[in-house]
Amino acid sequence: MTSTSADRVPNPDGSNIAGPDTDLDAVDGVPRSRIVVASMVGTSIEFFDFYIYATAAVLVFPRLFFPAGNDTTALLASFATFGLAFVARPIGSVLFGHFGDRIGRKATLVGSLLTMGVATFLIGLLPTYDSVGIIAPMLLALMRFTQGVGLGGEWSGAALLATETAKEGKRAWAAMWPQLGAPIGFLMANGIFLILTLSLDYDSKTSGADHAFLTWGWRVPFLLSAIMVIIGLYVRLKLEETPVFKRAVANGQRVKTPVAEVFKTSWRPLILGTFVMLATYTLFYVMTTWVVSYGTGKVVDHSGVAVTIAYTDFLGLQLISVLFFAAFVPVSGWLADRFGRRITLIVITTAIILFGLSFKWFAAPESATESRMLLFMCVGLALMGLTFGPMSAVLPELFPTNVRYTGSGISYNTASILGAAVAPFIATWLVNSYGVAWVGVYLAVAAALTLFALVVMKETRGRDLDTVS
């Protein structure tokens, strides 16, 4: 919980450095509205960068960055480069977590944003396989890895910025703002791709390799990220350090090697946090990345005649469904503050298990229609909003101040390897080998592991964020 004015730590000159402002709408002179924007705009940009890659991994990269041959093999290879970022994310959480716990949240957030932004911009300049051969996918993999390092440090910093400046009793509500960056980034990324494909009249099934979209159009979202990064940097450079971190510094509570300290003193929260996040990651990347390749290649109409949903039509359905994701993130923040993190997430995770077991009804080729696919994605992403929203409060609350950036980042990003990196690959293999129902079973198993972690976890709503290991 936040400290009272009596808890302020004095500077040698007698001034207070870390207590909350007398103005309830400001923290150390920084308006709360600016903190909200800074936490949300950064994650919006980071997720925009991440999702344009996810979209291109289905739509563009299999055709341009890998040798011609079997389409499924090229798609799986593209998903493999997509998964590289998730391998890199724990590295980013350790790297940026070290500086976030040693130097501060603000400077580290700036560094993570720059790392992600530069890598994304450079992807827009890469040569293709036809130009440089095997070097093309190697460069793509390198940039994707760098993207992952940047995002590995971004999320935990934004979450701490929100939670460590929150009003008492409102941490989950404050923490849900950076979570809104995910659907906002998704809407921007896929909205730009939709505009490009429509304006350039691109059809993923019939357009040739010399089409304008494949020669230059796909590069536009990656290059536009530079403008967004500049905006994000401007907002973040106007922030102050969080009061909680200032108090830790004033009390001499920083540790020399946060990563060693977190494994020594907080290994149980590391494990719990990883599995608490597992279902969230699996659900999201099944419902946003895998579902694009499935929906544009496997769905049939009500008459039983095999058809595919055109990419532009499917993207329109996906953009509608992401609105449900955005709408339920604030709902989850309110629920987590009102009823507690643990019971809220137990109920939501149980619903995810039931949703996973319903995949055959929603999406089996013999019964699926566009309207049913839309309902399928809306339900899935509404559940995503509910499970994702409280995470930026729950994971930081599991860890003490002096290792919070490192610990929450490692848990969050290790879950990304277990839940997200392999999800599109496993789902593609399952649907081709055993049918779409088994993709749902895969999701249900991941959610069952999360449910067990939540049952074991203690409630964190009332935890004092000023505690140290």
Side-chain angles (χ1 to χ4, degrees):
M1 63 185 69
T2 53
S3 302
T4 64
S5 58
D7 294 322
R8 294 188 181 188
V9 177
N11 266 331
D13 63 4
S15 63
N16 290 319
I17 66 169
D21 266 57
T22 54
D23 180 1
L24 293 178
D25 290 323
V27 179
D28 287 351
V30 178
R32 289 188 185 277
S33 59
R34 185 184 298 170
I35 296 172
V36 165
V37 171
S39 66
M40 186 168 61
V41 73
T43 51
S44 297
I45 294 169
E46 298 282 358
F47 280 102
F48 169 83
D49 291 354
F50 216 65
Y51 297 152
I52 56 176
Y53 191 102
T55 300
V58 174
L59 190 64
V60 176
F61 296 153
R63 298 184 68 173
L64 297 184
F65 282 85
F66 299 95
N70 184 281
D71 290 343
T72 300
T73 300
L75 179 62
L76 289 174
S78 181
F79 279 155
T81 64
F82 175 78
L84 265 180
F86 296 100
V87 177
R89 282 167 70 157
I91 298 173
S93 66
V94 170
L95 175 64
F96 288 106
H98 174 85
F99 293 108
D101 285 325
R102 287 287 302 163
I103 298 174
R105 310 341 187 182
K106 175 185 172 180
T108 306
L109 277 168
V110 170
S112 66
L113 184 63
L114 279 173
T115 301
M116 182 81 172
V118 170
T120 303
F121 181 80
L122 290 177
I123 289 174
L125 301 177
L126 290 182
T128 63
Y129 186 87
D130 285 344
S131 299
V132 295
I134 194 65
I135 294 176
M138 292 173 64
L139 290 173
L140 182 65
L142 176 62
M143 292 301 101
R144 180 59 174 169
F145 187 88
T146 306
Q147 272 192 320
V149 171
L151 189 54
E154 164 62 27
W155 178 87
S156 50
L160 267 58
L161 176 64
T163 57
E164 292 184 347
T165 57
K167 295 179 183 179
E168 185 171 355
K170 298 291 184 180
R171 277 208 300 258
W173 179 259
M176 70 85 188
W177 290 105
Q179 302 300 76
L180 274 175
I184 290 172
F186 186 96
L187 286 167
M188 290 192 298
N190 286 281
I192 290 175
F193 267 114
L194 180 60
I195 291 170
L196 282 169
T197 53
L198 289 175
S199 61
L200 295 176
D201 194 26
Y202 174 72
D203 187 317
S204 61
K205 299 297 180 183
T206 60
S207 297
D210 59 346
H211 192 279
F213 178 77
L214 291 177
T215 54
W216 62 266
W218 69 270
R219 300 178 185 272
V220 172
F222 292 92
L223 300 177
L224 284 178
S225 67
I227 299 173
M228 301 176 66
V229 168
I230 292 171
I231 295 172
L233 287 173
Y234 174 79
V235 174
R236 286 190 168 176
L237 287 171
K238 287 184 169 291
L239 293 177
E240 293 292 330
E241 191 51 75
T242 71
V244 173
F245 183 78
K246 285 183 178 180
R247 288 193 288 271
V249 172
N251 291 329
Q253 294 168 337
R254 287 181 294 180
V255 293
K256 184 175 294 186
T257 53
V259 66
E261 184 72 13
V262 77
F263 279 102
K264 178 182 177 182
T265 63
S266 302
W267 60 270
R268 289 183 183 86
L270 280 175
I271 296 171
L272 273 179
T274 297
F275 283 97
V276 163
M277 191 69 200
L278 179 63
T280 304
Y281 261 126
T282 306
L283 173 65
F284 186 67
Y285 283 92
V286 164
M287 297 308 302
T288 58
T289 302
W290 165 78
V291 78
V292 174
S293 62
Y294 179 76
T296 56
K298 294 292 183 183
V299 177
V300 300
D301 65 15
H302 65 279
S303 67
V305 178
V307 297
T308 60
I309 300 176
Y311 173 74
T312 52
D313 294 338
F314 190 85
L315 190 52
L317 300 180
Q318 199 172 34
L319 289 172
I320 293 171
S321 66
V322 171
L323 296 176
F324 286 79
F325 180 10
F328 279 91
V329 168
V331 173
S332 70
W334 180 84
L335 290 172
D337 276 333
R338 176 67 178 81
F339 299 104
R341 286 66 158 133
R342 184 172 173 270
I343 188 63
T344 298
L345 288 171
I346 284 174
V347 172
I348 294 166
T349 304
T350 301
I352 293 173
I353 293 174
L354 296 176
F355 174 66
L357 299 178
S358 71
F359 269 38
K360 185 174 182 180
W361 182 86
F362 274 114
E366 64 270 14
S367 59
T369 62
E370 284 193 27
S371 60
R372 190 174 289 192
M373 285 297 293
L374 176 60
L375 178 61
F376 174 55
M377 291 188 291
C378 287
V379 172
L381 288 174
L383 288 170
M384 178 62 197
L386 289 171
T387 185
F388 188 58
M391 290 301 172
S392 56
V394 173
L395 296 188
E397 288 169 349
L398 286 173
F399 297 93
T401 301
N402 54 355
V403 294
R404 184 170 294 132
Y405 202 125
T406 302
S408 59
I410 290 175
S411 289
Y412 181 84
N413 292 298
T414 302
S416 76
I417 295 179
L418 301 177
V422 296
F425 190 96
I426 290 176
T428 299
W429 176 76
L430 283 172
V431 76
N432 282 299
S433 301
Y434 302 105
V436 71
W438 281 94
V439 179
V441 172
Y442 164 58
L443 172 61
V445 170
L449 292 172
T450 290
L451 184 61
F452 177 78
L454 289 167
V455 170
V456 173
M457 186 187 84
K458 295 180 180 179
E459 178 57 56
T460 62
R461 176 173 51 173
R463 188 158 294 174
D464 182 2
L465 290 186
D466 280 310
T467 58
V468 296
S469 57

